[in-house]
Amino acid sequence: MGLSASSCRFATKCRFFRKLLKKRPRKDVQLSDQGKKPMEKESIHRLLEHIELHGLQTEGIYRKPGSVKGMRELRQQLEKDPMAVCLEDYPIHCVTGLVSEWLRNLPEPLTTFSQYSGFLHAMEPPEKSEQLGRISQVLDMLPPASIDMLERLFFHLVRVASEEGHNRMSTHSLAIVFAPSILRPPNTTNPLDIMKDMSKITMCLELILNEQKRRYEELNEGEENEIMANCISLTPCRLYRAQGQNDLDTIPH
């Protein structure tokens, strides 16, 4: 039986995506688990790439947990030799579970403890445009390595949300899952305050993802050449930040 048109288009995107990821510059960022051997940055990029090539349409992706045994085995294999692991041997929920675990166990979240209150204050204005402006100012204060990883991660989550019709994971659903890890408060924060602020940090992450998704979709508009459109659509958008303003910069490759 021949491949359907949608399958052919997806295969084309996969080929372009592999090429783009090989060309993307990757800056150093601490990717360590508490009490565990640090997971190399290449392992995280491999996990994200594998999910984008094989798991975007999986129902409940990032919401349904992977098996503890499978995740433990995969982690151990990645620690031994990241490039020798055959990710196809593991269920997709084990792969996504390892990404979520890594984010939870970072000694400091990618948004940093020092900027946690900044993201909270950014959600105080009633207008979304002003909220975005304040968020962009806070993002500008993050270390370059954190920004680089956040761009890659947000691009990944936008691609997940773009397949909501299949995987049933909207930007809102993803924000609920990832906000406690990406926008984690300092360890000294009062637990009652954490509960009170949970809705704010969830709305903050959802707003960022929605803005990134809007820009991701804009990059596909008006492209007559389907192959070029696929190539552009798989190039991560720069985060919406004050220095970037409203242009649609993409990561150089």
Short mmCIF file of all heavy atoms in Angstrom, two decimals, residues 147-179:
data_model
loop_
_atom_site.label_atom_id
_atom_site.label_comp_id
_atom_site.label_asym_id
_atom_site.label_seq_id
_atom_site.Cartn_x
_atom_site.Cartn_y
_atom_site.Cartn_z
N ILE A 147 18.70 30.83 27.85
CA ILE A 147 17.89 31.29 26.71
C ILE A 147 17.98 30.28 25.57
O ILE A 147 16.97 29.92 24.95
CB ILE A 147 18.35 32.68 26.24
CG1 ILE A 147 17.86 33.76 27.20
CG2 ILE A 147 17.84 32.97 24.83
CD1 ILE A 147 16.36 33.96 27.18
N ASP A 148 19.19 29.80 25.29
CA ASP A 148 19.37 28.85 24.20
C ASP A 148 18.56 27.60 24.42
O ASP A 148 17.89 27.09 23.52
CB ASP A 148 20.86 28.51 24.07
CG ASP A 148 21.14 27.62 22.88
OD1 ASP A 148 20.94 28.08 21.74
OD2 ASP A 148 21.56 26.46 23.08
N MET A 149 18.57 27.07 25.65
CA MET A 149 17.83 25.85 25.94
C MET A 149 16.33 26.10 25.98
O MET A 149 15.54 25.26 25.54
CB MET A 149 18.30 25.27 27.28
CG MET A 149 17.85 23.85 27.52
SD MET A 149 18.55 22.71 26.29
CE MET A 149 17.22 21.51 26.16
N LEU A 150 15.92 27.26 26.48
CA LEU A 150 14.49 27.60 26.51
C LEU A 150 13.94 27.73 25.09
O LEU A 150 12.82 27.29 24.82
CB LEU A 150 14.26 28.90 27.28
CG LEU A 150 14.29 28.80 28.81
CD1 LEU A 150 14.26 30.19 29.43
CD2 LEU A 150 13.11 27.96 29.32
N GLU A 151 14.72 28.31 24.20
CA GLU A 151 14.28 28.43 22.81
C GLU A 151 14.03 27.04 22.21
O GLU A 151 13.03 26.81 21.53
CB GLU A 151 15.31 29.20 21.99
CG GLU A 151 15.27 30.70 22.25
CD GLU A 151 16.40 31.43 21.54
OE1 GLU A 151 17.37 30.77 21.13
OE2 GLU A 151 16.31 32.66 21.42
N ARG A 152 14.97 26.15 22.47
CA ARG A 152 14.83 24.78 21.95
C ARG A 152 13.63 24.08 22.58
O ARG A 152 12.84 23.40 21.90
CB ARG A 152 16.11 23.98 22.24
CG ARG A 152 16.05 22.52 21.74
CD ARG A 152 16.00 22.51 20.22
NE ARG A 152 15.85 21.14 19.71
CZ ARG A 152 14.68 20.55 19.45
NH1 ARG A 152 13.54 21.20 19.67
NH2 ARG A 152 14.64 19.33 18.97
N LEU A 153 13.45 24.25 23.89
CA LEU A 153 12.36 23.59 24.60
C LEU A 153 11.00 24.16 24.19
O LEU A 153 10.05 23.40 23.94
CB LEU A 153 12.55 23.74 26.11
CG LEU A 153 11.50 23.07 27.00
CD1 LEU A 153 11.48 21.57 26.77
CD2 LEU A 153 11.78 23.39 28.47
N PHE A 154 10.88 25.48 24.10
CA PHE A 154 9.61 26.09 23.72
C PHE A 154 9.23 25.73 22.29
O PHE A 154 8.07 25.52 21.97
CB PHE A 154 9.67 27.61 23.90
CG PHE A 154 9.68 28.05 25.34
CD1 PHE A 154 10.11 29.32 25.69
CD2 PHE A 154 9.27 27.20 26.35
CE1 PHE A 154 10.12 29.74 27.02
CE2 PHE A 154 9.28 27.60 27.68
CZ PHE A 154 9.70 28.87 28.01
N PHE A 155 10.23 25.69 21.42
CA PHE A 155 9.98 25.27 20.04
C PHE A 155 9.42 23.84 20.03
O PHE A 155 8.47 23.53 19.31
CB PHE A 155 11.27 25.34 19.23
CG PHE A 155 11.17 24.74 17.85
CD1 PHE A 155 10.36 25.31 16.89
CD2 PHE A 155 11.90 23.61 17.51
CE1 PHE A 155 10.27 24.77 15.61
CE2 PHE A 155 11.82 23.06 16.25
CZ PHE A 155 11.01 23.63 15.29
N HIS A 156 10.01 23.00 20.85
CA HIS A 156 9.54 21.62 20.97
C HIS A 156 8.09 21.56 21.46
O HIS A 156 7.27 20.84 20.88
CB HIS A 156 10.45 20.87 21.95
CG HIS A 156 9.99 19.50 22.29
ND1 HIS A 156 10.10 18.42 21.42
CD2 HIS A 156 9.38 19.00 23.42
CE1 HIS A 156 9.59 17.34 21.99
NE2 HIS A 156 9.15 17.66 23.20
N LEU A 157 7.77 22.33 22.49
CA LEU A 157 6.41 22.30 23.04
C LEU A 157 5.40 22.89 22.06
O LEU A 157 4.25 22.43 22.00
CB LEU A 157 6.37 23.07 24.37
CG LEU A 157 7.21 22.46 25.50
CD1 LEU A 157 7.08 23.29 26.77
CD2 LEU A 157 6.79 21.01 25.77
N VAL A 158 5.82 23.86 21.28
CA VAL A 158 4.94 24.42 20.25
C VAL A 158 4.64 23.36 19.19
O VAL A 158 3.51 23.24 18.71
CB VAL A 158 5.57 25.67 19.61
CG1 VAL A 158 4.89 26.02 18.29
CG2 VAL A 158 5.47 26.86 20.56
N ARG A 159 5.64 22.58 18.84
CA ARG A 159 5.42 21.51 17.86
C ARG A 159 4.46 20.46 18.42
O ARG A 159 3.64 19.90 17.69
CB ARG A 159 6.74 20.86 17.46
CG ARG A 159 7.67 21.81 16.70
CD ARG A 159 8.58 21.06 15.77
NE ARG A 159 7.81 20.40 14.73
CZ ARG A 159 8.17 19.25 14.14
NH1 ARG A 159 9.26 18.64 14.54
NH2 ARG A 159 7.43 18.73 13.19
N VAL A 160 4.57 20.19 19.72
CA VAL A 160 3.63 19.26 20.36
C VAL A 160 2.22 19.83 20.29
O VAL A 160 1.27 19.14 19.90
CB VAL A 160 4.03 19.00 21.83
CG1 VAL A 160 2.94 18.19 22.54
CG2 VAL A 160 5.36 18.26 21.90
N ALA A 161 2.07 21.11 20.66
CA ALA A 161 0.75 21.75 20.66
C ALA A 161 0.16 21.84 19.25
O ALA A 161 -1.07 21.84 19.09
CB ALA A 161 0.84 23.14 21.29
N SER A 162 1.01 21.92 18.24
CA SER A 162 0.52 22.02 16.86
C SER A 162 -0.15 20.73 16.40
O SER A 162 -0.86 20.71 15.40
CB SER A 162 1.69 22.37 15.92
OG SER A 162 2.20 23.65 16.22
N GLU A 163 0.10 19.64 17.13
CA GLU A 163 -0.54 18.36 16.82
C GLU A 163 -1.66 18.04 17.82
O GLU A 163 -1.99 16.88 18.04
CB GLU A 163 0.51 17.23 16.84
CG GLU A 163 1.60 17.37 15.79
CD GLU A 163 1.08 17.15 14.38
OE1 GLU A 163 -0.02 16.56 14.24
OE2 GLU A 163 1.76 17.55 13.42
N GLU A 164 -2.24 19.09 18.40
CA GLU A 164 -3.28 18.92 19.42
C GLU A 164 -4.43 18.04 18.94
O GLU A 164 -5.02 17.28 19.72
CB GLU A 164 -3.82 20.28 19.87
CG GLU A 164 -4.92 20.20 20.92
CD GLU A 164 -5.55 21.54 21.22
OE1 GLU A 164 -5.09 22.56 20.65
OE2 GLU A 164 -6.51 21.57 22.01
N GLY A 165 -4.76 18.14 17.66
CA GLY A 165 -5.85 17.34 17.13
C GLY A 165 -5.62 15.84 17.28
O GLY A 165 -6.57 15.07 17.35
N HIS A 166 -4.36 15.44 17.34
CA HIS A 166 -4.02 14.02 17.51
C HIS A 166 -3.67 13.69 18.95
O HIS A 166 -4.12 12.68 19.49
CB HIS A 166 -2.85 13.65 16.60
CG HIS A 166 -3.12 13.80 15.14
ND1 HIS A 166 -3.84 12.86 14.42
CD2 HIS A 166 -2.79 14.78 14.26
CE1 HIS A 166 -3.93 13.24 13.16
NE2 HIS A 166 -3.31 14.41 13.03
N ASN A 167 -2.81 14.53 19.57
CA ASN A 167 -2.30 14.17 20.90
C ASN A 167 -3.12 14.75 22.05
O ASN A 167 -2.87 14.42 23.21
CB ASN A 167 -0.82 14.60 21.04
CG ASN A 167 -0.62 16.09 20.86
OD1 ASN A 167 -1.41 16.91 21.31
ND2 ASN A 167 0.46 16.46 20.18
N ARG A 168 -4.07 15.64 21.75
CA ARG A 168 -4.95 16.24 22.76
C ARG A 168 -4.19 17.05 23.82
O ARG A 168 -4.59 17.13 24.97
CB ARG A 168 -5.81 15.18 23.44
CG ARG A 168 -6.71 14.40 22.48
CD ARG A 168 -7.54 13.36 23.20
NE ARG A 168 -8.35 12.58 22.27
CZ ARG A 168 -9.53 12.94 21.82
NH1 ARG A 168 -10.06 14.08 22.22
NH2 ARG A 168 -10.21 12.18 20.98
N MET A 169 -3.06 17.64 23.40
CA MET A 169 -2.27 18.47 24.31
C MET A 169 -2.18 19.89 23.74
O MET A 169 -1.43 20.15 22.81
CB MET A 169 -0.87 17.88 24.50
CG MET A 169 -0.87 16.55 25.24
SD MET A 169 -1.52 16.66 26.94
CE MET A 169 -0.19 17.53 27.76
N SER A 170 -2.97 20.78 24.32
CA SER A 170 -2.97 22.19 23.92
C SER A 170 -1.86 22.93 24.64
O SER A 170 -1.18 22.37 25.53
CB SER A 170 -4.32 22.82 24.26
OG SER A 170 -4.51 22.79 25.68
N THR A 171 -1.66 24.20 24.30
CA THR A 171 -0.67 25.01 25.04
C THR A 171 -1.07 25.13 26.50
O THR A 171 -0.21 25.17 27.39
CB THR A 171 -0.54 26.41 24.42
OG1 THR A 171 -1.84 27.02 24.34
CG2 THR A 171 0.08 26.35 23.03
N HIS A 172 -2.37 25.15 26.77
CA HIS A 172 -2.84 25.22 28.15
C HIS A 172 -2.48 23.94 28.91
O HIS A 172 -1.98 23.99 30.04
CB HIS A 172 -4.35 25.43 28.19
CG HIS A 172 -4.93 25.47 29.58
ND1 HIS A 172 -4.65 26.48 30.48
CD2 HIS A 172 -5.75 24.59 30.23
CE1 HIS A 172 -5.28 26.24 31.62
NE2 HIS A 172 -5.94 25.10 31.50
N SER A 173 -2.72 22.80 28.27
CA SER A 173 -2.39 21.51 28.90
C SER A 173 -0.90 21.40 29.16
O SER A 173 -0.46 20.95 30.23
CB SER A 173 -2.84 20.35 28.00
OG SER A 173 -4.24 20.41 27.76
N LEU A 174 -0.08 21.82 28.19
CA LEU A 174 1.36 21.75 28.35
C LEU A 174 1.86 22.71 29.43
O LEU A 174 2.80 22.39 30.17
CB LEU A 174 2.05 22.07 27.01
CG LEU A 174 1.86 21.00 25.93
CD1 LEU A 174 2.30 21.53 24.57
CD2 LEU A 174 2.64 19.73 26.28
N ALA A 175 1.22 23.87 29.53
CA ALA A 175 1.60 24.83 30.57
C ALA A 175 1.33 24.25 31.96
O ALA A 175 2.12 24.43 32.89
CB ALA A 175 0.85 26.14 30.38
N ILE A 176 0.21 23.55 32.10
CA ILE A 176 -0.12 22.93 33.39
C ILE A 176 0.95 21.90 33.77
O ILE A 176 1.39 21.82 34.92
CB ILE A 176 -1.50 22.26 33.33
CG1 ILE A 176 -2.60 23.33 33.24
CG2 ILE A 176 -1.74 21.37 34.55
CD1 ILE A 176 -3.99 22.75 33.04
N VAL A 177 1.40 21.13 32.77
CA VAL A 177 2.39 20.08 33.03
C VAL A 177 3.77 20.66 33.33
O VAL A 177 4.45 20.21 34.26
CB VAL A 177 2.47 19.12 31.82
CG1 VAL A 177 3.64 18.16 31.97
CG2 VAL A 177 1.18 18.36 31.65
N PHE A 178 4.19 21.69 32.55
CA PHE A 178 5.58 22.14 32.61
C PHE A 178 5.84 23.37 33.48
O PHE A 178 7.00 23.60 33.86
CB PHE A 178 6.10 22.40 31.19
CG PHE A 178 6.43 21.15 30.44
CD1 PHE A 178 5.51 20.58 29.56
CD2 PHE A 178 7.65 20.51 30.61
CE1 PHE A 178 5.80 19.42 28.88
CE2 PHE A 178 7.96 19.35 29.93
CZ PHE A 178 7.03 18.80 29.06
N ALA A 179 4.84 24.16 33.76
CA ALA A 179 5.07 25.38 34.54
C ALA A 179 5.76 25.12 35.88
O ALA A 179 6.69 25.85 36.25
CB ALA A 179 3.76 26.14 34.75
#
